[in-house]
Amino acid sequence: MRLRYLTLTAVAFFSAFPLYYSVVVASRHNSALAQVPPPLIPGGNFFANVSRVFDTVPFGLALVNSVIVAGSISIAVMFFSTLAGFAFAKLTFRGRNIMLVITVATMMVPAQLGIIPLYMLMVKLEWTGTNYALIVPALVNAFGVFFMTQYLSRALPTELLEAGRVDGCSTWGLFWHVVLPAARPAAAVLGMLTFMSAWNDYFWPLVVLNPDNPTVQVALSTLASGYVNDYVLGLAGTAIGTLPLVAVFALFGKHIIGGIMQGAVKG
Amino acid sequence: MSTLPLALTRRRRRSVRHTLDVRVSPYAYVAPFFLLFCAFGLFPLVYTAWVSLHEWTLLSETQEFVGLGNFSALLADAYFWNATFNTLSIGVLSTVPQLALAIWLAHLLNRRLRFQTLFRVSLLLPNVTSVVAVVVIFSQLFGRDFGMINWVLSWFGVGNIDWAAGTATSHLALSVMIMWRWTGYNALIFLAAMQAVPRELYEAATLDGASTFKQLRSITIPMIRPTIVFVVIVSTIGAMQIIAEPMLFGQSSGGGGGIATGGPDRQFQTLALFVYEQGFANSTFDFGYASAASWLMFLAVVVVAGINFLITRRVKGGLV
């Protein structure tokens, strides 16, 4: 019994410690890194280091880009996933089941495999170096569709839709007036999950963007590579790129976890 | 007399519109997903196969058909086999302990517990952290001279380890990063499955005097087997595609070599990183060669995932 709490506390400690330690280093002077034993409490240099980050890489631009990209992707994913989820969960049409199976199956396709032709496609569209290259391919995804299908088939009473029909609603009217309000809790969770993964995405932005117009993650990797011995700088950047998300997670973590667990059970 | 046919057509028109609305509009609702998937998922996938059969670079306007030439060149490329070995090694080192630990953690969380939410949130915290942040932070922790991990190890008389330099040590360091980020996530998925197991089974087992470990082995694991199979397959697919961690570890550990070589001796270059090197980091932008490597990587993913699927499905109860 006591051992269980001890174990879980230890795991919680190891989960949080690297993040805490990165803030400790980020708030100190470079010389603190050569100390033995290493410092364990934050120092007073955090804001000086952060301003150095903004001087070294276009971090303000990166923040704006990341907010635009992750924000528009989240809104689009919430909308299109609810739309498709509504069709799969509550409407009857030929080929529905097979289309749902195909949707779930596409989750297994490794996206990395197609990165080269995808890049060539972006070159053709002249989208390389722009946020379109990040936003458009991500407007909707299989996980979102599946997630909303599951939620709506469980949480939205069919009687409510029938009542709407009797009142003369078209299918679109039903979606707008009945489904969207009912989907709000799940859509919010989906939106947060999508925002986080878009914010944290690294590989595709690295391939398709220019270093002078980066997202937060690309800017962080520039910091980490170009200034190898300046760990303080790298970690200060990491802290300001990561902490907003951690704060959001601390606030809404309970709902996000509920969403992940729901979305995964039937996988 | 004349109003009757008019009303009829109006009614028919309305019923046509209704039929269209009910029968056809659902296709419009699912269309965005399928269109986007075809354009940015399926098309690139199929086109990769076409590109892989050509001598195809970004620099040259013409593409020469070379058949399976790229594939045979790959199979003779020692760097390709090195990357395959590294991928499998890092994959096994990170996935096996991770999943065992995740099942055990889920088991601990699957009781009446105080601070339940707090523990769950702390478990998922690493997963919210970006890959870039994880590698930057852990590169510091794994530093040779002033890293926290070497400092702790020094208490036990272990000398300063240059983690990024060796094959085994760098694989271990990368596995720790991957495990740190994903163990809690998988634990939550296992926990979700465990909560669907009927409580009565545990009550009966407790009455029979079965220990919690025995209960985990004989009740929990067999009951959540579908989820275990699912998680093993997903983790395998993920492990076969590891790229950001070795790429960034090579950068931020300052070991030298290019960004895509995975250390100066390619000691931690994975398959996905090899593909990136050939396609994007190489001065020739050899898309044909990189596409061929992608397809071999895909083949490896299918084979390894298939083997794991067969193994996990056959294991009965005695997984731990």
Side-chain angles (χ1 to χ4, degrees), chain A residues 4-5 7 12 14-15 21 33 37-38 93-94 106 110 112-113 116-117 120 140 142 171-172 200 203 217 225 238, chain B residues 21 26-27 29 33 36-37 44-45 48 104 113-114 122 128 130 133 140 146 148 151 180 241 243 251 272 290 294:
Chain A
R4 186 145 51 94
Y5 282 100
T7 315
F14 281 115
S15 296
Y21 188 64
L33 281 175
F93 52 99
R94 280 171 72 101
T106 61
Q112 259 182 32
L113 181 57
I116 288 160
M120 291 158 65
V140 58
T171 316
W172 177 256
N200 285 338
F203 183 54
Q217 305 305 328
S225 63
T238 304
Chain B
D21 180 40
Y27 296 106
Y29 298 168
F33 167 71
L36 275 177
F37 176 71
L45 208 69
T48 310
W104 184 57
L113 197 69
R114 282 201 281 174
S122 72
V128 178
S130 74
Q140 217 281 312
F146 306 110
M148 173 80 78
W151 177 63
W180 185 74
Q241 300 182 72
I243 179 165
Q251 283 185 307
S294 296

Side-chain angles (χ1 to χ4, degrees), chain B residues 11-308:
Chain B
R11 193 177 299 161
R12 189 173 301 149
R13 206 182 298 150
R14 192 182 292 160
S15 94
V16 167
R17 207 194 297 149
H18 179 77
T19 315
L20 268 181
D21 180 40
V22 172
R23 293 267 167 81
V24 180
S25 78
Y27 296 106
Y29 298 168
V30 297
F33 167 71
F34 285 101
L35 288 177
L36 275 177
F37 176 71
C38 287
F40 300 111
L42 194 61
F43 163 73
L45 208 69
V46 176
Y47 201 56
T48 310
W50 179 245
V51 175
S52 74
L53 301 175
H54 291 75
E55 179 78 48
W56 193 312
T57 67
L58 190 63
L59 307 175
S60 153
E61 284 294 315
T62 54
Q63 290 92 28
E64 190 196 339
F65 184 84
V66 293
L68 295 177
N70 283 323
F71 288 92
S72 57
L74 262 175
L75 293 178
D77 187 340
Y79 290 160
F80 172 75
W81 290 109
N82 169 62
T84 308
F85 164 77
N86 289 342
T87 305
L88 292 174
S89 163
I90 295 170
V92 170
L93 276 176
S94 60
T95 313
V96 175
Q98 179 193 148
L99 295 185
L101 190 63
I103 290 184
W104 184 57
L105 283 174
H107 180 65
L108 290 183
L109 282 167
N110 189 28
R111 316 288 190 77
R112 277 151 67 66
L113 197 69
R114 282 201 281 174
F115 314 117
Q116 175 85 249
T117 309
L118 187 72
F119 285 132
R120 287 185 192 184
V121 169
S122 72
L123 269 183
L124 201 64
L125 188 63
N127 197 250
V128 178
T129 313
S130 74
V131 166
V132 183
V134 171
V135 184
V136 172
I137 295 168
F138 274 82
S139 296
Q140 217 281 312
L141 290 172
F142 275 110
R144 186 189 62 189
D145 296 320
F146 306 110
M148 173 80 78
I149 289 171
N150 274 348
W151 177 63
V152 171
L153 286 177
S154 71
W155 304 342
F156 305 97
V158 180
N160 273 2
I161 298 173
D162 192 350
W163 291 94
T167 303
T169 50
S170 63
H171 290 193
L172 207 63
L174 286 166
S175 303
V176 167
M177 297 176 204
I178 296 163
M179 279 182 66
W180 185 74
R181 188 141 176 266
W182 288 103
T183 305
Y185 177 85
N186 285 322
L188 287 177
I189 290 177
F190 286 133
L191 177 62
M194 285 180 191
Q195 289 182 338
V197 178
R199 295 269 142 193
E200 299 82 56
L201 289 177
Y202 295 108
E203 283 158 18
T206 311
L207 283 179
D208 287 345
S211 68
T212 50
F213 183 70
K214 181 102 177 63
Q215 291 181 18
L216 173 67
R217 239 185 51 167
S218 320
I219 301 175
T220 311
I221 289 176
M223 292 292 286
I224 64 164
R225 187 133 35 97
T227 306
I228 295 180
V229 174
F230 171 75
V231 171
V232 167
I233 300 302
V234 171
S235 308
T236 309
I237 295 174
M240 294 296 289
Q241 300 182 72
I242 290 167
I243 179 165
E245 289 89 348
M247 181 189 269
L248 287 156
F249 191 46
Q251 283 185 307
S252 53
S253 63
I259 142 173
T261 54
D265 304 322
R266 297 172 187 267
Q267 65 271 33
F268 49 89
Q269 185 183 46
T270 55
L271 272 176
L273 195 50
F274 178 80
V275 171
Y276 177 81
E277 184 194 13
Q278 300 306 323
F280 296 106
N282 199 318
S283 57
T284 58
F285 295 99
D286 201 340
F287 285 170
Y289 199 58
S291 296
S294 296
W295 267 100
L296 287 183
M297 185 174 107
F298 180 53
L299 215 65
V301 172
V302 171
V303 168
V304 176
I307 292 171
N308 279 349

Side-chain angles (χ1 to χ4, degrees), chain A residues 107-126:
Chain A
M107 284 200 265
M108 289 287 174
V109 176
Q112 259 182 32
L113 181 57
I115 219 94
I116 288 160
L118 190 60
Y119 178 79
M120 291 158 65
L121 188 63
M122 294 301 157
V123 173
K124 275 259 164 17
L125 294 170
E126 297 183 1

